[in-house]
Amino acid sequence: MTGLLVLVTGFGAASLVALLAWTLLSSVRDLREEDAMLAASADDQQMEGGPCAS
């Protein structure tokens, strides 16, 4: 019975760590995509002579 409890607890802890890691990686990926879109937008505005142009 104790072995089963340890197994279930270990599986739960591993699942929680995996979920937290996946969430962190997903957030980092989303931030990188957003940065790339903002950089592309700024480049487009500079080429068009928009408000970001120097």
Side-chain angles (χ1 to χ4, degrees), residues 12-43:
S15 296
L16 181 60
V17 168
L19 179 64
L20 289 173
W22 179 77
T23 302
L24 178 63
L25 291 175
S26 178
S27 296
V28 168
R29 185 185 67 229
D30 290 346
L31 287 173
R32 285 183 180 170
E33 288 176 0
E34 185 176 344
D35 285 347
M37 286 191 306
L38 290 173
S41 176
D43 288 345

Side-chain angles (χ1 to χ4, degrees), residues 1-17:
M1 185 68 178
T2 302
L4 180 63
L5 182 60
V6 169
L7 180 68
V8 170
T9 303
F11 181 73
S15 296
L16 181 60
V17 168

Side-chain angles (χ1 to χ4, degrees), residues 40-50 52-53:
S41 176
D43 288 345
D44 288 346
Q45 287 182 354
Q46 284 183 346
M47 292 215 178
E48 294 173 0
C52 290

